[in-house]
Amino acid sequence: MEKGYKMATLDKSLLLEMFKKMEEIRRMDLKIAQLVKKGKVPGMTHFSVGEEAASVGAMLALNADDIITSNHRGHGQAVAKGIDLNEMMAEILGKYTGTCKGKGGSMHIADLDAGNLGANGIVGGGMGIAVGAALTQQMKKTGRVVVCFFGDGATNEGVFHEAVNMASIWNLPVIFYCINNGYGISADIKKMTNVEHIHERSAAYGIPGMFIEDGNNVIDVYEGFQKAVEHARSGKGPVLIESVTYRWLGHSSSDPGKYRTREEVDEWKKKDPIENLRKYMLENNLASAEELEAIQAQVKEAVEASVKFAEESPFPPLESAFEDIYAD
């Protein structure tokens, strides 16, 4: 069992939901990677294979009506937030039945009904949106929190300072969540930032910083996030969280990842968040092998069905270029 795993007082149903969501993210991303190679996916794609626990643990600590903003590597957050897999796959393939009618693609998936204000192709682009959404919740007294997902590279953008500072002085119910996978494209974060841990930057804004050392441990992520959510929801203001994980694949579908050694990648693959949770549940008699295999089969079937739905869906008609430009 990986370091950090411990007996948790979580319901079996929640553990199985964690396993299912991580399986969905993994299988969706690997299937999309295959479709990219077949030339069926327009635009750039960024995969979160290996990072599944960092998204799932955080999302399951939220209420269904809480709000998120995502980033270019947003497939995992979209799935964890409960997006319809058929509509997500259709969007990635540029089809009219997609969540954004085929206009957004991989880097701009949004699902407003589920509280996902959208992924963003601009590094740090979701930060200002998250602050605006959090201000809305505060003014309307909705009791909702907003979570802004971003990578380590985004913390060196100017908008990071502006967003965290404004959220701090206005005491907004927003959680700034850095999924630190070690690299901003090909740049090692240790060479780009002169602090040992990104969450330490919280001190500059007078807000709490939280460190989840093992972002591949979905239980640790979930329990840490629960504390942050309670803090923000109770009116105590923003939190900056950092969890450490790793992407197995390149920065994007066009990146061979030559700046990393095979040994480094292989070491991280031994920390597979899905496999670790599976072992944890089996070794502690929290689930049977048959139950987990049934979930895997169900997810595989759902992903294959999403591809069929997407491939059989139409491309956007020409006149749709003039739709959804202005608010009704």
Side-chain angles (χ1 to χ4, degrees):
M1 206 176 300
E2 284 297 314
K3 176 185 176 182
Y5 262 85
K6 57 185 180 299
M7 284 302 295
T9 57
L10 302 183
D11 291 338
K12 176 181 177 178
S13 60
L14 178 58
L15 291 170
L16 292 177
E17 182 68 9
M18 289 174 170
F19 184 77
K20 179 182 178 182
K21 286 296 182 187
M22 290 197 291
E23 275 285 321
E24 286 178 340
I25 295 170
R26 175 73 57 86
R27 289 185 181 272
M28 283 289 283
D29 262 355
L30 291 177
K31 178 58 67 174
I32 294 165
Q34 292 177 2
L35 295 172
V36 168
K37 293 178 180 178
K38 294 180 179 179
K40 295 185 176 183
V41 179
M44 295 291 290
T45 50
H46 304 77
F47 306 114
S48 54
V49 177
E51 300 182 10
E52 295 87 357
S55 291
V56 171
M59 209 71 73
L60 291 181
L62 301 176
N63 291 341
D65 61 350
D66 287 329
I67 298 167
I68 72 163
T69 63
S70 186
N71 66 346
H72 57 278
R73 199 175 308 284
H75 296 174
Q77 285 105 58
V79 172
K81 194 71 170 74
I83 197 170
D84 182 273
L85 298 186
N86 288 353
E87 294 179 4
M88 175 179 170
M89 187 65 78
E91 183 61 38
I92 290 172
L93 267 60
K95 298 301 185 72
Y96 198 49
T97 54
T99 53
C100 300
K101 300 181 181 178
K103 294 181 178 181
S106 171
M107 285 195 290
H108 301 94
I109 294 172
D111 185 9
L112 301 185
D113 291 338
N116 182 353
L117 299 187
N120 204 305
I122 299 173
V123 175
M127 294 177 176
I129 297 171
V131 170
L135 178 60
T136 300
Q137 309 318 307
Q138 184 187 72
M139 294 177 68
K140 292 188 173 183
K141 297 179 171 59
T142 66
R144 298 171 182 166
V145 300
V146 180
V147 180
C148 177
F149 289 81
F150 52 90
D152 45 280
T155 61
N156 288 331
E157 294 285 339
V159 69
F160 172 78
H161 163 77
E162 295 168 355
V164 180
N165 187 67
M166 182 171 287
S168 172
I169 61 175
W170 286 351
N171 207 47
L172 299 180
V174 57
I175 297 170
F176 294 96
Y177 182 30
C178 175
I179 297 180
N180 183 354
N181 62 26
Y183 292 91
I185 308 181
S186 59
D188 188 333
I189 187 61
K190 294 178 182 178
K191 297 180 180 178
M192 299 296 111
T193 303
N194 198 26
V195 292
E196 185 175 359
H197 299 297
I198 288 169
H199 73 279
E200 294 172 354
R201 289 183 165 187
S202 65
Y205 309 99
I207 65 173
M210 181 180 295
F211 185 46
I212 302 173
E213 183 178 4
D214 187 0
N216 284 3
N217 183 325
V218 68
I219 296 174
D220 278 2
V221 177
Y222 174 80
E223 292 181 338
F225 236 83
Q226 280 188 311
K227 298 174 184 176
V229 170
E230 192 281 328
H231 178 96
R233 203 184 304 281
S234 63
K236 297 177 182 177
V239 182
L240 173 62
I241 301 181
E242 172 191 2
S243 69
V244 178
T245 181
Y246 195 83
R247 55 172 167 80
W248 293 6
L249 306 180
H251 167 71
S252 68
S253 53
S254 63
D255 173 24
K258 293 183 178 179
Y259 46 87
R260 308 185 301 184
T261 65
R262 182 179 296 275
E263 291 74 19
E264 177 181 307
V265 176
D266 288 344
E267 278 302 307
W268 275 97
K269 285 185 176 181
K270 295 177 184 178
K271 304 174 185 178
D272 183 344
I274 301 176
E275 179 60 18
N276 287 342
L277 181 60
R278 188 187 72 84
K279 288 181 179 178
Y280 168 77
M281 287 191 288
L282 292 177
E283 291 174 4
N284 291 283
N285 298 314
L286 298 170
S288 67
E290 291 74 20
E291 286 177 298
L292 300 182
E293 289 168 5
I295 290 174
Q296 291 174 315
Q298 178 187 357
V299 170
K300 181 179 180 180
E301 182 179 348
V303 171
E304 292 299 330
S306 75
V307 176
K308 184 175 186 294
F309 174 84
E311 291 184 331
E312 293 177 352
S313 294
F315 285 102
L318 184 60
E319 58 269 22
S320 70
F322 301 98
E323 296 175 352
D324 307 312
I325 297 174
Y326 301 102
D328 293 332

